[in-house]
Amino acid sequence: MVFDLTEGDPVSQPSGTQHGHGHGHGHGHSEAPADPRRWRLLVLLCLAQFMVILDVTVVNVALPVIESDLDLDRAAVPWVVTAYTLTFGGLLMLGGRLADLVGKRRIFLTGLVIFTLASVGSGLAISGTMLVVARGLQGVGAAMLSPAALSIITTTFAGADRNRALGVWAAIGGAGAAIGVLLGGVLSAGPGWEWAFFINVPVGVAVFLALPASKVDGRAHDGSRPDIAGAVLITAAGGLIIYALINAGGAGWGAVSTLVPLGVGILAAALFVVVERKVAAPLVPLVLLRRRPVIAGNLVMVAAAGLLIASFFLASLYAQHVLRMGPLETGLLFLPVAIVITIGAHLGARMITASGWRPVAGIGFAVAAVGFFLLSRVPADGSAWVHLLPGFAIAGAGLATTFVTATTSAMTAVEHSMAGVVSGLVNTGHEIGAALGVAFVAAIAGAGVEGAVEASAQVQGFGSAFLAAGIAALVAAGLSVVLLPAGKPDPSHGPMMAH
């Protein structure tokens, strides 16, 4: 069975909603007749996206078991998470551009193959190095398939059907995150942590075989080349800064092995700006970097994602290292938090409409800070349901509202020709923020990340890390009130959700 995936001009942008991971490009094609089988295509694309989202959270619950089985040291543990989010975020904009230049279906299938094979490599890993490399390759594949899948959706569907399709795509993000924390516990407690990665293989193979052929795989014909130098520089900058943060947890903040990669990482970030000023088709058009709502929204996204993913990272290690909970029990513990986050996001959207961006972001980060300060008092022999869950849920609820603030602020009053670029930029901020957040708290926690040290040392490390997260949330609250635009979203602009 072959679906009609005839695509229009891939350079044009949508006149509708942008939603989901990636570099969204709307390419309405009113001439093509609506094929009822296109909904089956949507299912396949959403299955692939589900894997991508799942792999952000599924590892957090399985991490202590992985650490024990592969004998990972303190520095290697956070890389299991950050290697994926770093390459995913750093290459996401490039993946979207390649989908335009090379063809959406080609880039989607290439990314799917890389992601699936890297999942096999992750499950077969016999060392920390092998697992981290495989996780990085998973991120490369995700950065290709995710924006390409979104672009296929926005070119295949039009009008009200497009909005419904994008709504399904958006729901996959929340469902993947919630199911990931539970599935990580179920698989780690059952067949083994390896199946947190192996489970991607049958899905990847099925999507690859079932994905319909495209009659015309649209490409850009503007003569421009992908900004590979920019993608490499921003990914390298993030990687070096993350390495410096993780290294500081062991060697100290003043060590040469910390300061050198930190300095080089900052230099790489500066070179990225220089490159973006000179290339014909930059990953990030400089005109966007002069828009306050875009910059403020992305900074809020970096902070929100960093704090949220870092909280899952710390909570999982504390529950399993200190409280000696099993992975399944930990996954069940995290499920209420995932539900609270979903509810908080919906409430946040309503609050922004009523009150505007500044108060919602300020209150959201302040609430998160309260949750983190409660978590900073975790004991060595407490109850997860009494000493961990309440603070975790409060922090998650507060941060959920800031995610909505970040997205709607960045996307407000953006021309439709720029909607896909800004959407991709916000999602890049989400992944890079997640990587930096985990590296930051791992550096503060220090020996607490290792499961082989005494409980007292672990608790002290976790308490310090949660306290640092609370302070960071308060700083984010103050900055967001100053940097975010005043006023409320204009309802006439429609919903534009990037993540």
Side-chain angles (χ1 to χ4, degrees), residues 49-60:
Q49 177 70 0
F50 182 78
M51 292 192 302
V52 168
I53 299 297
L54 194 72
D55 270 48
V56 177
T57 56
V58 70
V59 172
N60 276 305

Side-chain angles (χ1 to χ4, degrees), residues 300-301 304 360-365 397-407:
V300 170
M301 178 59 79
V360 174
I363 293 173
F365 278 121
L399 292 174
T401 64
T402 65
F403 277 101
V404 184
T405 305
T407 301

